[in-house]
Amino acid sequence: MKPAHYVNGAFTVAGTPFPLCSPVDGQEIGTVPEASRETVDEAVNAARAAFQGAWGQTGTEERCAYLRRIADGIEARFEEFVAAEVADTGKPRELAATVDIPRAIGNFRAYADLAYGLSGRAYPTTVPAWSGSGQALSYTVRRPVGVVAIIAPWNLPLLLLTWKVAPALAAGNAVVAKPSEETPSTAALLAEVIDAVDLPPGAFNLVHGHGANAAGEHLTAHPGVDAIAFTGASATGSAIMRNAAAHVTPLSFELGGKNPALVFADADLERAVEGTLLSSFTHSGQICLCTERVYVQRPIFGAFVDALAERARQLDGYGPMISAEHRDKVLSYYRLAVEEGATVLAGGGVPVFGDARDGGYYVEPTVITGLPQTARTVREEIFGPICHVAPFDEEDEAIRLANDSPYGLAATVWTNDLSRAHRVAPRIDAGIVWVNCWNLRDLRTPFGGVKASGIGREGGEHSLDFFSEPVNVCVKI
Ligand code: NAD
Ligand code: 6OD
């Protein structure tokens, strides 16, 4: 694999190449060009020219047609996209083929529909005597923000990139996108699809490379960027914010999480166990929405924790951590948990497969108990297949424990008591609360976090709001 930058409608591999390694066996599978500051400049300048030129002249209908053609183009190369996502991330093919790539296609179709269906507001206004009396009409139109920088992480590479690219283009912006250095391949394929649908040159640009002191930082600190949409770690968000402050660049941030699950004694036990297995271990815990803290009401604590640990021990076919560095971070938390006094009920180490995967970055699905709420393992985002299970007695206590976190992205509530579900959900510090389910995503709904988990909301009209500026026009009649 040799992913290329896409700048001003042309592919280039300018820049020092760095190796791309498979997380499955650690072997090199390709090289990626590191975009220099000059390449980033070219991309931003191309985006500006497109915004002021042909792309800026397009109407909503035309842009929505482009989005639909991009969706069709990904669909036509579906297997290639799936293979590239699996190669970069090591995730099970099933996940890429049922979530990542279909959702990327869905993002373009959803934003074509949403942008086409948008309407402005109008306010008939009575004109005061001092202004001449009579009537006026105030109405709101949207205009694109301009050149937007989009920075994506490695866990759901194409899904999360297109979740921003689709609304940004739909709203009429010109885009410079940077995927994670760990997972550049599906973004590079997306550039090929976009090239094939003849989007005006410069409307979409793609640069590859690292973050700090590299392409990501050159892009987000660039004075020619009018808005930044970023998904990644909270610490990276702080670094981007510092750079963005210099130009007061608007930000949309989807950041880290330490998501709680609350399991009440009235819940369907089996459903709660299977749901928690899914929410803690899907993609080996490398989804920002994954559960890392489980609070279970005391009467069912023993039965729940035994069943969850048993099911975690049975898991197979799971994927690796994205990199050796991330595997080492996750394993350092496995060790820390024990040092902090945890009881390990399942996993806690590195699996031995007896094949090429032993050269990869796997860790075991892990269930622990026995830590105080103050333990670092319970407070810090690990982003791996581990959850800590603790008991609680009262509903208020469960809510207090859930909210006792610097993060506030997502939460899951397991209960058969309808009143309890409605009572508890809005009291949790989170942007998304699932009741008796997890990661059920209607693309029209708001998505985002509170506290250190983010700034703003994406999803549905929220993304279109970020990627456009409302202008109020007041006409005296
Ligand atoms: P990361 O923050 O290390 O990297 C994300 C992206 O930012 C990459 O493209 C990287 O190159 C770039 N980057 C890094 N430093 C930068 C800098 N100083 N300036 C500009 N760009 C920079 O995150 P990651 O390791 O790729 O992803 C895992 C993290 O992302 C976890 O914390 C996870 O919770 C979070 N995440 C959040 C969401 C969400 O929707 N809230 C979704 C997925 C992942
Ligand atoms: O499904 C989505 O729309 C979405 N934004 C998922 C985010 C997952 C974070 O890792």
Side-chain angles (χ1 to χ4, degrees), residues 82-428:
V82 169
E85 207 70 301
V86 169
D88 279 5
T89 60
K91 66 175 62 178
R93 185 191 179 282
E94 166 86 1
L95 258 188
T98 59
V99 179
D100 295 73
I101 308 307
R103 262 297 305 281
I105 296 167
N107 286 338
F108 283 104
R109 294 204 172 124
Y111 276 103
D113 291 346
L114 281 160
Y116 189 62
L118 269 191
S119 56
R121 288 204 172 152
Y123 305 85
T125 308
T126 303
V127 181
W130 60 261
S131 199
S133 303
Q135 292 294 309
L137 183 67
S138 294
Y139 65 92
T140 310
V141 291
R142 287 168 183 264
R143 45 180 286 162
V145 175
V147 173
V148 300
I150 290 175
I151 308 268
W154 47 258
N155 62 330
L156 302 167
L158 192 68
L159 187 162
L160 291 175
L161 189 85
T162 54
W163 179 234
K164 298 178 193 299
V165 169
L169 291 176
N173 300 280
V175 169
V176 182
K178 192 197 82 64
S180 167
E181 58 276 22
E182 317 269 13
T183 53
S185 301
T186 47
L189 287 178
L190 175 69
E192 291 180 15
V193 165
I194 286 179
D195 188 63
V197 305
D198 288 330
L199 202 75
F204 174 81
N205 304 273
L206 181 73
V207 294
H208 296 287
H210 290 76
N213 303 311
E217 190 168 334
H218 301 329
L219 180 57
T220 51
H222 202 292
V225 164
D226 299 310
I228 300 168
F230 167 74
T231 297
S234 301
T236 309
S238 299
I240 290 176
M241 212 169 186
R242 280 192 289 276
N243 281 329
H247 307 111
V248 201
T249 313
L251 300 164
S252 168
F253 276 176
E254 305 292 354
L255 307 176
K258 186 77 183 175
N259 307 306
L262 307 186
V263 184
F264 288 93
D266 58 53
D268 177 329
L269 183 65
E270 196 184 327
R271 202 170 156 197
V273 169
E274 291 305 314
T276 306
L277 198 76
L278 198 68
S279 73
S280 290
F281 300 122
T282 299
H283 193 16
S284 298
Q286 298 171 113
I287 299 182
C288 59
L289 307 165
C290 278
T291 303
E292 290 192 8
R293 298 181 290 142
V294 187
Y295 300 102
V296 184
Q297 207 160 18
R298 206 170 299 270
I300 60 162
F301 179 78
F304 179 94
V305 88
D306 288 348
L308 184 70
E310 175 64 20
R311 293 288 287 115
R313 283 191 290 269
Q314 291 164 357
L315 284 176
D316 60 9
Y318 53 85
M321 300 294 93
I322 189 67
S323 62
E325 189 189 4
H326 188 52
R327 190 253 329 259
D328 291 348
K329 175 188 156 185
V330 172
L331 287 176
S332 77
Y333 277 101
Y334 284 14
R335 285 191 298 276
L336 177 69
V338 173
E339 283 161 27
E340 289 184 312
T343 303
V344 180
L345 298 177
V350 175
V352 176
F353 297 106
D355 56 33
R357 286 175 293 172
D358 291 338
Y361 313 135
Y362 291 82
V363 299
E364 289 174 333
T366 295
V367 178
I368 56 174
T369 56
L371 290 177
Q373 183 72 7
T374 50
R376 277 181 55 206
T377 311
V378 178
R379 304 198 71 76
E380 298 175 11
E381 183 188 51
I382 300 172
F383 217 56
I386 177 168
C387 63
H388 177 256
V389 192
F392 70 87
D393 292 299
E394 303 298 335
E395 187 177 297
D396 278 353
E397 181 193 1
I399 294 167
R400 187 177 50 72
L401 290 167
N403 290 346
D404 181 17
S405 168
Y407 293 104
L409 185 58
T412 308
V413 178
W414 298 94
T415 178
N416 272 334
D417 180 337
L418 195 58
S419 300
R420 189 200 297 280
H422 288 295
R423 201 166 54 230
V424 169
R427 292 183 61 200
I428 300 180

